[in-house]
Amino acid sequence: PKSIPVKIKPPVVLPVSKFSLKKATKRSFKTKKDLAYNWCQKYAKKKVSKDMLTYIVDHAMEYPRWKLLLSIMATESNFDPDARSHCNALGLMQVNYPVWKDYFKLKSEAHIFDIEENIKHGREIFNMYYEKTKDIKLALNRYAGESKNGAYQQRVMKKYDELNNYLNKKLN
């Protein structure tokens, strides 16, 4: 039997503008983690390396309120893990060593400068205040040692909203 040649039609290719192709390509390679890292770069001090900032974002994202944690770190330390305030608050989350050393059974200040430990303790402090107040803004005020002023929580919430808007814009 002789085979009959079959004409195969080429697939229909829809026209795609360079803009939409570029936009689709950009989006497909961005994850929440990548975008969070990009946002954090805006606030990071120059001495914070890319690897260090990636490590910080990785550890913050282990927690359900990771966007709030990143917003607190941006406000407190500009992502500087070696930050030290005038009142001896230390690290990314500015954990006040003299106040919390007994509660967390900390042996030395060096423990607080460990990125994982600082994020963990800062998160625990915030969560403790949140559980007492059931209000994020009041918990932030307490975290900062403010009573009703609200200036601190306004700065944190501004960064939180900015991060949320950035993620929504880039992911949608």
Side-chain angles (χ1 to χ4, degrees), residues 3-61:
S3 63
I4 302 171
V6 178
K7 289 186 177 179
I8 300 174
K9 290 183 179 179
V12 176
V13 179
L14 299 173
V16 177
S17 71
K18 286 181 183 179
F19 174 76
S20 63
L21 184 61
K22 185 177 177 184
K23 192 174 179 181
T25 305
K26 267 187 177 178
R27 276 195 185 157
S28 62
F29 294 106
K30 293 290 183 184
T31 64
K32 276 186 184 178
K33 179 182 160 185
D34 295 330
L35 293 169
Y37 169 81
N38 290 343
W39 180 84
C40 292
Q41 280 184 311
K42 176 179 177 178
Y43 293 102
K45 292 207 172 209
K46 290 180 182 178
K47 71 178 195 172
V48 180
S49 71
K50 179 180 179 178
D51 290 340
M52 177 91 58
L53 195 56
T54 301
Y55 187 72
I56 291 166
V57 170
D58 284 346
H59 286 287
M61 290 184 85

Side-chain angles (χ1 to χ4, degrees), residues 88-123:
N88 217 21
L90 309 172
L92 294 164
M93 300 281 290
Q94 289 291 281
V95 175
N96 194 314
Y97 177 73
V99 171
W100 295 102
K101 69 179 178 180
D102 293 333
Y103 184 85
F104 290 119
K105 297 175 179 55
L106 303 172
K107 295 177 183 171
S108 70
E109 285 184 357
H111 185 79
I112 286 296
F113 285 112
D114 178 83
I115 291 171
E116 289 177 60
E117 292 299 316
N118 192 277
I119 294 171
K120 181 178 107 180
H121 294 317
R123 177 189 57 88

